């Protein structure tokens, strides 16, 4: 896993680096792979939104792998409110992962926007893909 590191002595979750994003990623579970928007990312976890409301209604998930850019993190869904999931990582991400994600997030958001725009066009023509 790219993003794992051990928590230092005396460090708490609130000491973790945190970044607000809006980057697309994937949540992988035993039930399959689902697209998500990563709204908030910290060393200790992430706040994501499932992109497909129909799938989300029947998508019960606990253990998962969150993948974005060139990173991945294993975790557990600790909180769920509709399409919104709070994931606690098994191991904290290294600070460099947060910094690199933040540096490249604006470029990824632009690319993600273009991808979503294309998906919307396909949907409007009756073509659906995940």
């Amino acid at each position: 896993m790219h993003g794992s590191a051990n928590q230092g002595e005396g460090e708490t979750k609130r000491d973790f680096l945190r970044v607000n994003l809006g980057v697309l990623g994937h949540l992988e579970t035993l039930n399959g792979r689902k697209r998500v928007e990563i709204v908030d990312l910290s060393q200790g976890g992430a706040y994501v939104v499932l992109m497909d409301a129909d799938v989300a209604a029947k998508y019960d998930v606990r253990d998962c792998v969150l993948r974005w850019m060139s990173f991945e993190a294993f975790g557990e869904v600790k909180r769920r409110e509709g399409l919104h999931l709070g994931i606690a990582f098994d191991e904290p991400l290294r600070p460099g992962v947060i910094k690199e994600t933040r540096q490249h997030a604006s470029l990824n958001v632009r690319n993600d926007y273009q991808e979503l725009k294309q998906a919307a066009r396909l949907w409007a023509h009756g073509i659906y893909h995940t």
Side-chain angles (χ1 to χ4, degrees):
M1 174 169 57
H2 262 123
S4 55
N6 292 330
Q7 185 173 341
E9 288 285 324
E11 219 175 51
T12 68
K13 287 184 181 183
R14 289 291 161 205
D15 293 332
F16 287 161
L17 291 175
R18 175 175 302 279
V19 62
N20 294 321
L21 292 175
V23 173
L24 292 182
H26 289 94
L27 196 63
E28 296 183 8
T29 71
L30 294 176
N31 297 333
R33 182 179 187 189
K34 304 300 175 222
R35 298 181 127 230
V36 296
E37 177 185 356
I38 304 170
V39 177
D40 182 271
L41 181 69
S42 76
Q43 289 175 266
Y47 179 66
V48 304
V49 179
L50 291 165
M51 300 297 287
D52 186 346
D54 293 334
V55 170
K58 39 190 172 179
Y59 193 64
D60 187 29
V61 60
R62 245 334 190 198
D63 296 322
C64 60
V65 178
L66 179 62
R67 297 182 190 276
W68 73 102
M69 294 171 41
S70 63
F71 302 110
E72 65 180 21
F74 293 86
E76 181 180 350
V77 174
K78 294 289 190 174
R79 189 171 182 195
R80 175 158 188 186
E81 295 174 15
L83 301 175
H84 304 262
L85 305 174
I87 301 168
F89 296 146
D90 292 348
E91 297 180 26
L93 299 177
R94 291 177 291 112
V97 171
I98 302 295
K99 290 176 184 172
E100 187 175 335
T101 299
R102 181 176 38 210
Q103 286 173 342
H104 299 316
S106 61
L107 175 61
N108 283 330
V109 169
R110 282 195 300 276
N111 291 339
D112 293 345
Y113 173 75
Q114 293 303 323
E115 187 178 331
L116 285 173
K117 203 162 117 176
Q118 177 64 19
R121 275 192 208 106
L122 292 173
W123 180 83
H125 288 95
I127 303 167
Y128 176 76
H129 85 0
T130 57

